[in-house]
Amino acid sequence: MRRGDKRVLSVSVALAVAAVAAVAFSLLVLDHRPRPSAADSSSSLLVVTWGPSLCAVEPSNSGCRSGHVTQLGQTFVLHGLWPQPSTEQYCEVPKNVSDRKRAPVPLPDDLQARLHTMLSDAPLMTTHEWYAHGTCAGVTPPEYFSLATDLAGEVFRVLNPVFAASSGDQLSARAVRQRFDTEFGGGAGTRVALSCKKARGADVAYEVKLSLPAVTDLRDGAGALPLGKAILRGPTIGAGCPQARVP
């Protein structure tokens, strides 16, 4: 082998060794950095989706394809209870694993039955929401979903009539916020945001997000802190999209 060829080969080997070292560093260090713990959560978001909007925006959603969301009628469905900040996800569990390959979340039968009436697809959603968000909440799976369903039930009571009455018309974030001020007192509305998405080129009122304390601070004895108390203890948030049509 000529000297020039040997020099090229030597450089190529050195580059290959450097590339392998970089990959090894990524796998051993970057992908195994400490994950956040529940103690890092300073607040939470309770997120609910208007059922007709879900199926208008995402007709391929499993709960829409099965007809379950349509059967529930003009009501919100629970999306999730998310520890904040948004980096609080997948605590002490791998992220890049299909939800269908994860172990089922152990829940009492009565809680599973309630989740079936409040989620678009209970088996799929409970698995995803627990591993993505519940693992950072600092409570057990039954506590996590009990808190979420108790609080969401109160939100449904407040908001279902507002969205149902606005079906086919525009609804503003201001009106949604005023409804919470009326129900729970001044300042409650500043913890509520309206989210919108596109459906057939038009903005639709899609979700409502409520800013609440950390999940561990939502407990009140054997149940959830009443929504009226919880919402006034959460940090204020922006109003979200100004207004959109309600399907």
Side-chain angles (χ1 to χ4, degrees):
M1 182 180 293
R2 291 178 297 178
R3 181 177 300 176
D5 293 337
K6 289 181 179 180
R7 184 178 296 111
V8 171
L9 178 61
S10 176
V11 172
S12 298
V13 170
L15 291 174
V17 170
V20 170
V23 171
F25 177 81
S26 174
L27 292 174
L28 294 176
V29 178
L30 297 182
D31 289 350
H32 288 79
R33 59 189 182 277
R35 294 184 179 276
S37 66
D40 297 323
S41 178
S42 57
S43 62
S44 62
L45 285 177
L46 180 66
V47 186
V48 296
T49 310
W50 181 240
S53 295
L54 174 63
C55 294
V57 172
E58 303 174 45
S60 62
N61 178 280
S62 58
C64 297
R65 285 190 287 104
S66 69
H68 177 64
V69 175
T70 301
Q71 291 171 2
L72 293 176
Q74 286 191 310
T75 180
F76 277 88
V77 293
L78 171 63
H79 189 165
L81 179 60
W82 303 344
Q84 295 298 294
S86 58
T87 52
E88 296 291 287
Q89 294 187 29
Y90 296 97
C91 292
E92 304 301 330
V93 295
K95 181 177 181 179
N96 297 321
V97 175
S98 169
D99 290 332
R100 297 186 184 278
K101 293 183 179 180
R102 296 186 187 274
V105 182
L107 297 172
D109 290 344
D110 60 338
L111 182 54
Q112 290 188 51
R114 189 176 188 198
L115 286 165
H116 179 71
T117 68
M118 300 182 77
L119 292 171
S120 59
D121 182 335
L124 182 64
M125 289 294 291
T126 51
T127 302
H128 172 74
E129 291 300 316
W130 170 252
Y131 286 103
H133 304 286
T135 54
C136 300
V139 297
T140 65
E143 286 180 302
Y144 175 72
F145 286 108
S146 291
L147 290 170
T149 54
D150 285 351
L151 290 166
E154 290 196 68
V155 177
F156 293 3
R157 176 184 63 79
V158 173
L159 284 184
N160 278 349
V162 176
F163 272 65
S166 301
S167 180
D169 294 324
Q170 296 286 315
L171 178 65
S172 68
R174 181 179 179 181
V176 174
R177 289 184 142 203
Q178 287 178 338
R179 181 70 185 89
F180 277 87
D181 282 338
T182 300
E183 185 72 22
F184 300 117
T190 62
R191 278 86 174 171
V192 180
L194 177 66
S195 295
C196 303
K197 286 193 175 184
K198 293 284 187 182
R200 297 180 180 177
D203 287 331
V204 300
Y206 184 72
E207 286 186 330
V208 174
K209 298 178 180 179
L210 288 80
S211 177
L212 303 175
V215 176
T216 50
D217 294 329
L218 293 174
R219 293 176 292 190
D220 184 23
L225 194 68
L227 181 60
K229 290 183 178 180
I231 196 169
L232 290 173
R233 297 180 186 178
T236 59
I237 57 177
C241 71
Q243 72 173 26
R245 186 180 64 83
V246 178

